[in-house]
Amino acid sequence: MAKLFYRVFALILVLSLMLPTAAMAQGDDIVNFTILHTNDFHGNLELSGSNPGAARVAYVIKQIRAAKAALGQSVLLLDAGDIMQGSLLSNIQKGLPTIDYYKTIGYDGVTLGNHEFDWGQTVLQQRYNQAHNDDGDPTTKEFPFIAANIVLKGTASDCASAGWDLPTFVTEPYHVYEIPTATTTPLRVGVIGVSTTETPYITVAEATAGLCFKDPYESILHYYDALDAAADVIVVLSHNGYNDGGYGYGFTVYGDQTLAQKLNTAGKPVNLIIGGHSHTDLTSATMVGNTMVVQAYYAGRRVGQVDFTVNRTTGAISMAWTRNVVSTTGNEDPDIKALVDGYVNDTDYQALIKEPIFQTNVEIIRNYNGDSLMGKMVNDAIYNELNNDVETANDVDMVFNNPGGLRADITSTDCPSFPCTVTYGKMFSIMPFGNQTVVGTMTGAQIVELLNQSATLFKGALQVAGIRYKFFRYYGGTPAATWAWGAYDIQVWDKATSTWVPIDLNKTYRVATNEFLAPVGQDGFIPFKYFKVESYWGDMLNLVNNWMRNHYNPDVNPSNSPYAETLDGRITREGDDTFDTDPIIPLTILHHNDSHGRLLKTTYQGYTQLATII
């Protein structure tokens, strides 16, 4: 933390004799200012459920600003990442309306979350350019993208040896803001940004190609001395989560509390860490030594407020945190409401989201860890669209999708009566990522290994078409962290005979999936590394929409009937997570050591289980 020099005692004594006590207390020696903060806004510009919408968030921000301005105090507005991705209005234009809102309400700076990379670096560069564009509008303000640990890999053999060159969509590793004071010497607030090192593992591989996400602690240390010399107060904008943990990809991911402790232990303390990523709804600030750690929930539901008092004579800094709840029934700021309404009421946008795709007579619901009608609908549509067009080069034996790629259900809220028309807007909310459909090959043994990985439920059960499987997953006992899992009774639909046949370990199958999964195996579905890419066949959402429109929309073809499918048991789970001292576990587990699988032998209270570990 930057240190304010103590004045020489004799000078203080002279000044104390010359100036009244009141003047000493209220003069330039004491500086008060406020930092407002948000995180994980996820493009929630409109009121939706418990998300209050941008106009209500803006009203709270402006009220606090006005109150502080009346006291002659400055306010900084910062955000800890995951700004744009998450709502239909923002996603369709790839974050443009959200950046417009951030400029209009006057953010002073943001760091980058992992979801900033969902649409790739080209789009992120466009949003950077938008945020930094002086459009001549006095009602908007440019703001920097601050990130110290996102660097170019360059020619380095690995990220550990990469340098510190920043990509063009990062403004700077840190920014120093000047807070006006009663004299010509401003108070300097240094803000440094760090993003989660798991970003390359939870986004499409191409989106982070050529980038390194360095260790946040090491990155802060790299810049600390220069920042300390330039600032009186140091703030970290962190998109790493409140607690330790991460998503379990096999390397250390520490949260903001640990980051604060590591910096304190190293003798490089910061005053404040403003967090994001974990959507933590704190009721009070956490103090780690003299470092305050805060976070403001997500989707604009909270506006965090840190009120600083800095004694420039002694160097003492005090902070008080307020959790401002943004009500879904609260007042709306008229300027931001007009801005959002302009995007909502745009005729092209309305025409697009209201375009009818198909009709349904049933709710279509997800199941992250098993069989689901949503997974069936999406994967069957892709399977049928690829196998029934005029192009034979994209014919496939099976389709896989990760459950995390399906983001919404079609429920009675969407369909108060049946038959119900499902629009493009609804379909986009189900599949918002714009992933390309990739077709390639895998052997039967590799597919078995993939389904064994799916059986861990690390990132849910793979949703499928053209293949069906059963799986078990047991957890518990002694030690509590011991697992047993596996896939079995795996069958593939034989199009020639219209029958289900056991998977052949030695056969090469043609597989379709999304570019997030193959060929790099994101979301922990590592066996997709065996996937041999043959070709790409366009946005997966478009494939689904084409099939559903042409086969379940009576307005397109009067012979069509609304969608009325039911579950068919293509994914069957044996048991649950409950530990049983005398379970019956199917041990017909296929494994293949040539695929780099290895067998785990685990003994529980007198019986043995086998499972393949990836």
mmCIF file of all heavy atoms in Angstrom, residues 85-86 91 94 115 118-120 202 204 402-407 427-436 514-516 539 541:
data_model
loop_
_atom_site.group_PDB
_atom_site.id
_atom_site.type_symbol
_atom_site.label_atom_id
_atom_site.label_comp_id
_atom_site.label_asym_id
_atom_site.label_seq_id
_atom_site.Cartn_x
_atom_site.Cartn_y
_atom_site.Cartn_z
ATOM 1 N N GLN A 85 -22.337 -10.887 -21.120
ATOM 2 C CA GLN A 85 -22.979 -12.109 -21.581
ATOM 3 C C GLN A 85 -24.006 -12.614 -20.572
ATOM 4 O O GLN A 85 -23.701 -12.783 -19.402
ATOM 5 C CB GLN A 85 -21.918 -13.189 -21.816
ATOM 6 C CG GLN A 85 -22.286 -14.248 -22.815
ATOM 7 C CD GLN A 85 -23.240 -15.289 -22.283
ATOM 8 O OE1 GLN A 85 -23.476 -15.408 -21.103
ATOM 9 N NE2 GLN A 85 -23.803 -16.062 -23.176
ATOM 10 N N GLY A 86 -25.249 -12.864 -21.039
ATOM 11 C CA GLY A 86 -26.203 -13.476 -20.125
ATOM 12 C C GLY A 86 -27.655 -13.147 -20.355
ATOM 13 O O GLY A 86 -28.531 -13.789 -19.781
ATOM 14 N N ASN A 91 -27.008 -10.351 -25.559
ATOM 15 C CA ASN A 91 -26.319 -11.393 -26.317
ATOM 16 C C ASN A 91 -26.498 -11.269 -27.821
ATOM 17 O O ASN A 91 -25.563 -11.506 -28.591
ATOM 18 C CB ASN A 91 -26.811 -12.770 -25.871
ATOM 19 C CG ASN A 91 -26.270 -13.167 -24.514
ATOM 20 O OD1 ASN A 91 -25.680 -12.349 -23.827
ATOM 21 N ND2 ASN A 91 -26.486 -14.396 -24.116
ATOM 22 N N LYS A 94 -24.155 -9.037 -28.983
ATOM 23 C CA LYS A 94 -22.832 -9.362 -28.453
ATOM 24 C C LYS A 94 -22.278 -8.263 -27.556
ATOM 25 O O LYS A 94 -21.129 -7.842 -27.688
ATOM 26 C CB LYS A 94 -21.869 -9.698 -29.592
ATOM 27 C CG LYS A 94 -22.324 -10.936 -30.368
ATOM 28 C CD LYS A 94 -21.372 -11.346 -31.460
ATOM 29 C CE LYS A 94 -21.862 -12.627 -32.130
ATOM 30 N NZ LYS A 94 -20.993 -13.072 -33.225
ATOM 31 N N HIS A 115 -16.451 -14.547 -19.003
ATOM 32 C CA HIS A 115 -17.496 -14.484 -20.023
ATOM 33 C C HIS A 115 -17.274 -13.345 -21.017
ATOM 34 O O HIS A 115 -17.965 -13.298 -22.044
ATOM 35 C CB HIS A 115 -18.868 -14.356 -19.371
ATOM 36 C CG HIS A 115 -19.388 -15.647 -18.825
ATOM 37 N ND1 HIS A 115 -19.761 -16.698 -19.636
ATOM 38 C CD2 HIS A 115 -19.583 -16.073 -17.548
ATOM 39 C CE1 HIS A 115 -20.168 -17.709 -18.890
ATOM 40 N NE2 HIS A 115 -20.063 -17.354 -17.624
ATOM 41 N N ASP A 118 -16.522 -15.027 -24.337
ATOM 42 C CA ASP A 118 -17.447 -16.000 -24.917
ATOM 43 C C ASP A 118 -17.624 -15.828 -26.415
ATOM 44 O O ASP A 118 -17.900 -16.799 -27.131
ATOM 45 C CB ASP A 118 -18.815 -15.915 -24.232
ATOM 46 C CG ASP A 118 -18.837 -16.617 -22.890
ATOM 47 O OD1 ASP A 118 -17.888 -17.361 -22.598
ATOM 48 O OD2 ASP A 118 -19.797 -16.426 -22.127
ATOM 49 N N TRP A 119 -17.507 -14.608 -26.913
ATOM 50 C CA TRP A 119 -17.699 -14.364 -28.352
ATOM 51 C C TRP A 119 -16.377 -14.177 -29.080
ATOM 52 O O TRP A 119 -16.357 -13.752 -30.236
ATOM 53 C CB TRP A 119 -18.599 -13.137 -28.545
ATOM 54 C CG TRP A 119 -19.944 -13.300 -27.919
ATOM 55 C CD1 TRP A 119 -20.814 -14.337 -28.098
ATOM 56 C CD2 TRP A 119 -20.579 -12.416 -26.992
ATOM 57 N NE1 TRP A 119 -21.949 -14.158 -27.347
ATOM 58 C CE2 TRP A 119 -21.841 -12.976 -26.657
ATOM 59 C CE3 TRP A 119 -20.226 -11.198 -26.420
ATOM 60 C CZ2 TRP A 119 -22.724 -12.371 -25.777
ATOM 61 C CZ3 TRP A 119 -21.110 -10.593 -25.533
ATOM 62 C CH2 TRP A 119 -22.339 -11.175 -25.225
ATOM 63 N N GLY A 120 -15.274 -14.465 -28.423
ATOM 64 C CA GLY A 120 -13.974 -14.407 -29.070
ATOM 65 C C GLY A 120 -13.306 -13.047 -28.954
ATOM 66 O O GLY A 120 -13.897 -12.054 -28.537
ATOM 67 N N ILE A 202 -12.742 -22.694 -19.673
ATOM 68 C CA ILE A 202 -14.201 -22.602 -19.603
ATOM 69 C C ILE A 202 -14.770 -21.740 -20.712
ATOM 70 O O ILE A 202 -15.910 -21.298 -20.646
ATOM 71 C CB ILE A 202 -14.664 -22.093 -18.221
ATOM 72 C CG1 ILE A 202 -13.967 -20.788 -17.839
ATOM 73 C CG2 ILE A 202 -14.408 -23.145 -17.160
ATOM 74 C CD1 ILE A 202 -14.369 -20.235 -16.474
ATOM 75 N N VAL A 204 -14.498 -21.264 -25.316
ATOM 76 C CA VAL A 204 -14.043 -21.884 -26.554
ATOM 77 C C VAL A 204 -12.547 -21.627 -26.716
ATOM 78 O O VAL A 204 -12.064 -20.511 -26.501
ATOM 79 C CB VAL A 204 -14.824 -21.302 -27.748
ATOM 80 C CG1 VAL A 204 -14.291 -21.854 -29.060
ATOM 81 C CG2 VAL A 204 -16.304 -21.617 -27.615
ATOM 82 N N ASN A 402 -22.727 -30.654 -24.265
ATOM 83 C CA ASN A 402 -22.574 -30.513 -22.816
ATOM 84 C C ASN A 402 -23.828 -29.876 -22.229
ATOM 85 O O ASN A 402 -24.401 -28.956 -22.816
ATOM 86 C CB ASN A 402 -21.347 -29.670 -22.477
ATOM 87 C CG ASN A 402 -21.357 -28.321 -23.177
ATOM 88 O OD1 ASN A 402 -21.511 -28.254 -24.390
ATOM 89 N ND2 ASN A 402 -21.158 -27.248 -22.421
ATOM 90 N N PRO A 403 -24.275 -30.315 -21.066
ATOM 91 C CA PRO A 403 -25.502 -29.761 -20.481
ATOM 92 C C PRO A 403 -25.379 -28.283 -20.147
ATOM 93 O O PRO A 403 -26.377 -27.562 -20.151
ATOM 94 C CB PRO A 403 -25.715 -30.602 -19.228
ATOM 95 C CG PRO A 403 -24.371 -31.159 -18.891
ATOM 96 C CD PRO A 403 -23.694 -31.368 -20.214
ATOM 97 N N GLY A 404 -24.147 -27.810 -19.877
ATOM 98 C CA GLY A 404 -23.953 -26.405 -19.567
ATOM 99 C C GLY A 404 -24.191 -25.494 -20.752
ATOM 100 O O GLY A 404 -24.331 -24.278 -20.579
ATOM 101 N N GLY A 405 -24.236 -26.052 -21.962
ATOM 102 C CA GLY A 405 -24.501 -25.246 -23.144
ATOM 103 C C GLY A 405 -25.968 -24.968 -23.369
ATOM 104 O O GLY A 405 -26.327 -24.168 -24.234
ATOM 105 N N LEU A 406 -26.841 -25.633 -22.614
ATOM 106 C CA LEU A 406 -28.286 -25.414 -22.701
ATOM 107 C C LEU A 406 -28.685 -24.549 -21.519
ATOM 108 O O LEU A 406 -28.596 -24.978 -20.366
ATOM 109 C CB LEU A 406 -29.020 -26.758 -22.688
ATOM 110 C CG LEU A 406 -28.562 -27.763 -23.757
ATOM 111 C CD1 LEU A 406 -29.279 -29.092 -23.602
ATOM 112 C CD2 LEU A 406 -28.744 -27.198 -25.156
ATOM 113 N N ARG A 407 -29.131 -23.336 -21.766
ATOM 114 C CA ARG A 407 -29.194 -22.315 -20.724
ATOM 115 C C ARG A 407 -30.596 -21.956 -20.246
ATOM 116 O O ARG A 407 -30.742 -21.128 -19.362
ATOM 117 C CB ARG A 407 -28.507 -21.037 -21.216
ATOM 118 C CG ARG A 407 -27.109 -21.243 -21.748
ATOM 119 C CD ARG A 407 -26.148 -21.747 -20.716
ATOM 120 N NE ARG A 407 -25.770 -20.732 -19.763
ATOM 121 C CZ ARG A 407 -24.822 -20.871 -18.846
ATOM 122 N NH1 ARG A 407 -24.159 -22.018 -18.766
ATOM 123 N NH2 ARG A 407 -24.537 -19.900 -18.026
ATOM 124 N N MET A 427 -35.385 -19.513 -28.352
ATOM 125 C CA MET A 427 -34.366 -20.470 -28.752
ATOM 126 C C MET A 427 -32.963 -19.896 -28.541
ATOM 127 O O MET A 427 -32.044 -20.618 -28.150
ATOM 128 C CB MET A 427 -34.562 -20.873 -30.213
ATOM 129 C CG MET A 427 -35.819 -21.699 -30.454
ATOM 130 S SD MET A 427 -35.837 -23.252 -29.498
ATOM 131 C CE MET A 427 -34.489 -24.141 -30.281
ATOM 132 N N PHE A 428 -32.793 -18.611 -28.797
ATOM 133 C CA PHE A 428 -31.497 -17.979 -28.564
ATOM 134 C C PHE A 428 -31.132 -18.010 -27.082
ATOM 135 O O PHE A 428 -29.968 -18.199 -26.726
ATOM 136 C CB PHE A 428 -31.507 -16.542 -29.081
ATOM 137 C CG PHE A 428 -30.137 -15.914 -29.136
ATOM 138 C CD1 PHE A 428 -29.413 -15.926 -30.313
ATOM 139 C CD2 PHE A 428 -29.574 -15.311 -28.025
ATOM 140 C CE1 PHE A 428 -28.144 -15.355 -30.376
ATOM 141 C CE2 PHE A 428 -28.313 -14.742 -28.074
ATOM 142 C CZ PHE A 428 -27.591 -14.762 -29.257
ATOM 143 N N SER A 429 -32.114 -17.831 -26.213
ATOM 144 C CA SER A 429 -31.832 -17.882 -24.774
ATOM 145 C C SER A 429 -31.460 -19.291 -24.335
ATOM 146 O O SER A 429 -30.751 -19.462 -23.339
ATOM 147 C CB SER A 429 -33.037 -17.375 -23.977
ATOM 148 O OG SER A 429 -34.113 -18.281 -24.047
ATOM 149 N N ILE A 430 -31.896 -20.300 -25.064
ATOM 150 C CA ILE A 430 -31.531 -21.683 -24.757
ATOM 151 C C ILE A 430 -30.104 -21.972 -25.211
ATOM 152 O O ILE A 430 -29.332 -22.634 -24.513
ATOM 153 C CB ILE A 430 -32.517 -22.664 -25.428
ATOM 154 C CG1 ILE A 430 -33.909 -22.526 -24.792
ATOM 155 C CG2 ILE A 430 -32.025 -24.109 -25.320
ATOM 156 C CD1 ILE A 430 -35.003 -23.235 -25.564
ATOM 157 N N MET A 431 -29.731 -21.468 -26.398
ATOM 158 C CA MET A 431 -28.408 -21.731 -26.971
ATOM 159 C C MET A 431 -27.763 -20.406 -27.372
ATOM 160 O O MET A 431 -27.716 -20.056 -28.546
ATOM 161 C CB MET A 431 -28.537 -22.671 -28.176
ATOM 162 C CG MET A 431 -29.190 -23.998 -27.847
ATOM 163 S SD MET A 431 -29.393 -25.052 -29.317
ATOM 164 C CE MET A 431 -27.683 -25.440 -29.696
ATOM 165 N N PRO A 432 -27.255 -19.639 -26.394
ATOM 166 C CA PRO A 432 -26.820 -18.262 -26.676
ATOM 167 C C PRO A 432 -25.373 -18.094 -27.115
ATOM 168 O O PRO A 432 -24.951 -16.972 -27.415
ATOM 169 C CB PRO A 432 -27.021 -17.576 -25.320
ATOM 170 C CG PRO A 432 -26.701 -18.654 -24.329
ATOM 171 C CD PRO A 432 -27.212 -19.930 -24.948
ATOM 172 N N PHE A 433 -24.582 -19.172 -27.155
ATOM 173 C CA PHE A 433 -23.142 -19.000 -27.274
ATOM 174 C C PHE A 433 -22.641 -18.904 -28.706
ATOM 175 O O PHE A 433 -21.474 -18.598 -28.940
ATOM 176 C CB PHE A 433 -22.411 -20.135 -26.556
ATOM 177 C CG PHE A 433 -22.627 -20.123 -25.070
ATOM 178 C CD1 PHE A 433 -23.333 -21.137 -24.447
ATOM 179 C CD2 PHE A 433 -22.160 -19.075 -24.295
ATOM 180 C CE1 PHE A 433 -23.548 -21.125 -23.078
ATOM 181 C CE2 PHE A 433 -22.366 -19.055 -22.925
ATOM 182 C CZ PHE A 433 -23.069 -20.078 -22.322
ATOM 183 N N GLY A 434 -23.478 -19.184 -29.696
ATOM 184 C CA GLY A 434 -23.033 -19.084 -31.074
ATOM 185 C C GLY A 434 -21.987 -20.106 -31.457
ATOM 186 O O GLY A 434 -21.171 -19.857 -32.347
ATOM 187 N N ASN A 435 -22.007 -21.271 -30.814
ATOM 188 C CA ASN A 435 -21.003 -22.292 -31.107
ATOM 189 C C ASN A 435 -21.238 -22.915 -32.481
ATOM 190 O O ASN A 435 -22.367 -23.198 -32.870
ATOM 191 C CB ASN A 435 -21.047 -23.402 -30.047
ATOM 192 C CG ASN A 435 -20.385 -22.998 -28.757
ATOM 193 O OD1 ASN A 435 -19.482 -22.176 -28.754
ATOM 194 N ND2 ASN A 435 -20.834 -23.579 -27.652
ATOM 195 N N GLN A 436 -20.140 -23.151 -33.182
ATOM 196 C CA GLN A 436 -20.206 -23.837 -34.462
ATOM 197 C C GLN A 436 -20.387 -25.337 -34.249
ATOM 198 O O GLN A 436 -19.936 -25.903 -33.247
ATOM 199 C CB GLN A 436 -18.919 -23.584 -35.255
ATOM 200 C CG GLN A 436 -18.709 -22.138 -35.652
ATOM 201 C CD GLN A 436 -19.722 -21.684 -36.678
ATOM 202 O OE1 GLN A 436 -19.837 -22.260 -37.761
ATOM 203 N NE2 GLN A 436 -20.486 -20.657 -36.344
ATOM 204 N N ASN A 514 -20.247 -29.548 -30.433
ATOM 205 C CA ASN A 514 -20.012 -28.102 -30.581
ATOM 206 C C ASN A 514 -18.533 -27.787 -30.398
ATOM 207 O O ASN A 514 -17.791 -28.553 -29.797
ATOM 208 C CB ASN A 514 -20.882 -27.310 -29.596
ATOM 209 C CG ASN A 514 -20.533 -27.576 -28.148
ATOM 210 O OD1 ASN A 514 -19.465 -27.190 -27.671
ATOM 211 N ND2 ASN A 514 -21.424 -28.242 -27.409
ATOM 212 N N GLU A 515 -18.121 -26.655 -30.932
ATOM 213 C CA GLU A 515 -16.701 -26.301 -30.943
ATOM 214 C C GLU A 515 -16.143 -26.002 -29.560
ATOM 215 O O GLU A 515 -14.921 -25.924 -29.390
ATOM 216 C CB GLU A 515 -16.470 -25.108 -31.864
ATOM 217 C CG GLU A 515 -17.168 -23.829 -31.417
ATOM 218 C CD GLU A 515 -16.868 -22.647 -32.328
ATOM 219 O OE1 GLU A 515 -15.809 -22.655 -32.981
ATOM 220 O OE2 GLU A 515 -17.689 -21.729 -32.373
ATOM 221 N N PHE A 516 -17.007 -25.839 -28.568
ATOM 222 C CA PHE A 516 -16.529 -25.682 -27.198
ATOM 223 C C PHE A 516 -15.950 -26.998 -26.688
ATOM 224 O O PHE A 516 -14.942 -27.019 -25.976
ATOM 225 C CB PHE A 516 -17.676 -25.216 -26.301
ATOM 226 C CG PHE A 516 -17.344 -25.151 -24.838
ATOM 227 C CD1 PHE A 516 -16.471 -24.199 -24.347
ATOM 228 C CD2 PHE A 516 -17.928 -26.034 -23.936
ATOM 229 C CE1 PHE A 516 -16.165 -24.129 -22.997
ATOM 230 C CE2 PHE A 516 -17.638 -25.967 -22.581
ATOM 231 C CZ PHE A 516 -16.753 -25.013 -22.111
ATOM 232 N N ASP A 539 -23.522 -22.421 -37.300
ATOM 233 C CA ASP A 539 -24.021 -22.194 -35.949
ATOM 234 C C ASP A 539 -24.996 -23.308 -35.564
ATOM 235 O O ASP A 539 -25.963 -23.590 -36.274
ATOM 236 C CB ASP A 539 -24.715 -20.828 -35.902
ATOM 237 C CG ASP A 539 -25.072 -20.400 -34.486
ATOM 238 O OD1 ASP A 539 -25.644 -21.219 -33.749
ATOM 239 O OD2 ASP A 539 -24.793 -19.245 -34.131
ATOM 240 N N LEU A 541 -27.245 -23.426 -33.294
ATOM 241 C CA LEU A 541 -28.617 -22.957 -33.092
ATOM 242 C C LEU A 541 -29.367 -22.932 -34.414
ATOM 243 O O LEU A 541 -30.554 -23.277 -34.470
ATOM 244 C CB LEU A 541 -28.608 -21.562 -32.457
ATOM 245 C CG LEU A 541 -29.964 -20.872 -32.332
ATOM 246 C CD1 LEU A 541 -30.913 -21.686 -31.453
ATOM 247 C CD2 LEU A 541 -29.809 -19.463 -31.775
#
